[in-house]
């Protein structure tokens, strides 16, 4: 029911003048005729259109430059060596570089899929470089485990960051921990492939540095009093 804007008395919908104070009342539509109002805002793409055009232009220009470099490298290689030798490596690298640019500028992937696509393209690049020597010596035994574990670790760190209620020194601690584990994995895999034995060497030195840092950062984040934590942040401009 509408009300008089002057005296506040309740009036009917078809009243043009307040019966109490004779104030002119504007026409108010019936509640049944009112258009339903959505409780949620309408989804609008706020990303400017010219940004998409700029990304498209950058991708096309970069792809054109990469193709020109590939053609020039092949022609120069053939001219001086009468065959294709070193240019095949630059061709493969530039081809995968175009795929990297497509993933960055055109694919519009979620963060997890973006990291997986980067890891897959990196492994694809390693396989192509290995295949150029007519054998797959190291891309499967070394390249695949390295890229696969790096992808898993990065996604794990992102999930930890997302689930952390209070983010700070704990994120740096987890990054250091995963980096240390990755170094141990690299050291172990190299030793096993070349010496048929797992004997950690340089990764132990990395562990001696990373483990105390990991423990210290976790202690600062969870156990250090707030006043000291603020002083620490101001001291190191964190």
């Amino acid at each position: 029911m509408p009300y008089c804007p002057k005296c506040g008395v309740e009036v009917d919908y078809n009243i043009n003048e307040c019966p109490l104070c004779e104030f002119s009342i504007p026409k108010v539509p019936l509640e049944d005729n009112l258009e339903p109002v959505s409780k949620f805002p309408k989804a609008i793409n706020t990303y400017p259109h010219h940004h998409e055009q700029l990304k498209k232009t950058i991708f096309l220009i970069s792809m054109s430059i990469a193709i020109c470099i590939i053609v020039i490298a092949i022609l120069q290689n053939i001219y001086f060596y009468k065959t294709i030798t070193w240019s095949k490596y630059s061709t493969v690298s530039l081809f995968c570089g175009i795929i990297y640019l497509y993933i960055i500028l055109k694919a519009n992937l979620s963060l997890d899929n973006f990291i997986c696509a980067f890891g897959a393209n990196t492994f694809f690049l390693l396989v192509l470089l290995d295949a150029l020597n007519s054998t797959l010596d190291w891309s499967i035994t070394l390249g695949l485990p390295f890229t696969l574990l790096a992808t898993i670790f990065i996604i794990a760190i992102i999930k930890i960051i997302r689930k952390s209620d209070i983010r700070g020194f704990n994120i740096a601690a987890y990054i250091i921990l995963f980096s240390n584990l990755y170094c141990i994995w690299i050291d172990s895999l190299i030793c096993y492939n070349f010496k048929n034995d797992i004997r950690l060497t340089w990764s132990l030195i990395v562990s001696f540095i990373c483990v105390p840092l990991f423990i210290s950062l976790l202690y600062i984040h969870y156990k250090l009093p707030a006043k000291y934590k603020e002083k620490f942040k101001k001291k190191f401009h964190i």
Side-chain angles (χ1 to χ4, degrees):
M1 293 291 289
Y3 296 86
C4 175
K6 184 177 180 180
C7 66
V9 67
E10 187 176 349
V11 297
D12 293 329
Y13 283 102
N14 55 354
I15 296 297
N16 297 325
E17 189 177 89
C18 178
L20 183 62
C21 65
E22 298 181 351
F23 186 79
S24 179
I25 298 176
K27 291 183 178 181
V28 179
L30 296 175
E31 293 181 357
D32 295 337
N33 297 331
L34 294 176
E35 295 182 0
V37 179
S38 176
K39 296 181 179 180
F40 304 98
K42 186 178 180 181
I44 300 175
N45 183 14
T46 58
Y47 197 75
H49 178 67
H50 68 273
H51 285 181
E52 290 290 342
Q53 290 297 116
L54 180 61
K55 288 166 60 176
K56 182 179 179 180
T57 303
I58 293 174
F59 175 73
L60 292 176
I61 292 174
S62 302
M63 186 173 64
S64 301
I65 293 173
I67 292 174
C68 290
I69 294 175
I70 289 173
V71 173
I72 293 172
I74 292 174
L75 292 177
Q76 187 178 18
N77 193 190
I78 294 175
Y79 179 79
F80 286 104
Y81 293 91
K82 308 304 180 183
T83 185
I84 296 177
T85 54
W86 56 266
S87 62
K88 57 186 179 181
Y89 298 99
S90 60
T91 300
V92 167
S93 301
L94 287 170
F95 175 74
C96 290
I98 293 174
I99 299 177
Y100 280 126
L101 279 176
Y102 179 82
I103 295 171
I104 295 171
L105 299 175
K106 299 285 292 179
N108 294 325
L109 300 173
S110 63
L111 184 57
D112 293 344
N113 292 334
F114 177 83
I115 295 169
C116 290
F118 244 68
N121 190 46
T122 301
F123 174 64
F124 179 62
L125 171 62
L126 296 178
V127 170
L128 289 179
L129 290 174
D130 195 12
L132 292 176
N133 296 323
S134 301
T135 57
L136 294 177
D137 294 330
W138 52 268
S139 60
I140 303 299
T141 57
L142 296 175
L144 177 59
F146 289 167
T147 54
L148 180 61
L149 196 67
T151 303
I152 293 173
F153 278 175
I154 294 172
I155 292 176
I157 291 172
I158 292 173
K159 290 188 178 299
I160 290 174
I161 293 174
R162 288 172 179 169
K163 292 185 177 180
S164 298
D165 296 330
I166 302 175
R167 301 169 186 174
F169 295 100
N170 59 333
I171 303 302
Y174 293 133
I175 292 174
I176 291 173
L177 175 63
F178 281 112
S179 300
N180 185 26
L181 293 176
Y182 189 67
C183 290
I184 294 174
W185 171 253
I186 292 175
D187 195 8
S188 302
L189 200 61
I190 291 176
C191 288
Y192 181 78
N193 278 274
F194 290 96
K195 298 180 180 179
N196 294 324
D197 189 16
I198 298 178
R199 292 183 180 180
L200 301 181
T201 54
W202 58 269
S203 62
L204 293 177
I205 301 174
V206 176
S207 299
F208 289 145
I209 299 172
C210 290
V211 171
L213 276 176
F214 168 72
I215 297 173
S216 300
L217 290 173
L218 284 185
Y219 176 81
I220 292 172
H221 184 79
Y222 292 107
K223 296 296 183 180
L224 195 69
K227 60 178 181 178
Y228 295 113
K229 193 182 296 184
E230 290 298 323
K231 289 182 180 180
F232 193 91
K233 289 181 178 180
K234 290 178 181 179
K235 182 68 175 179
F236 292 95
H237 303 283
I238 300 176

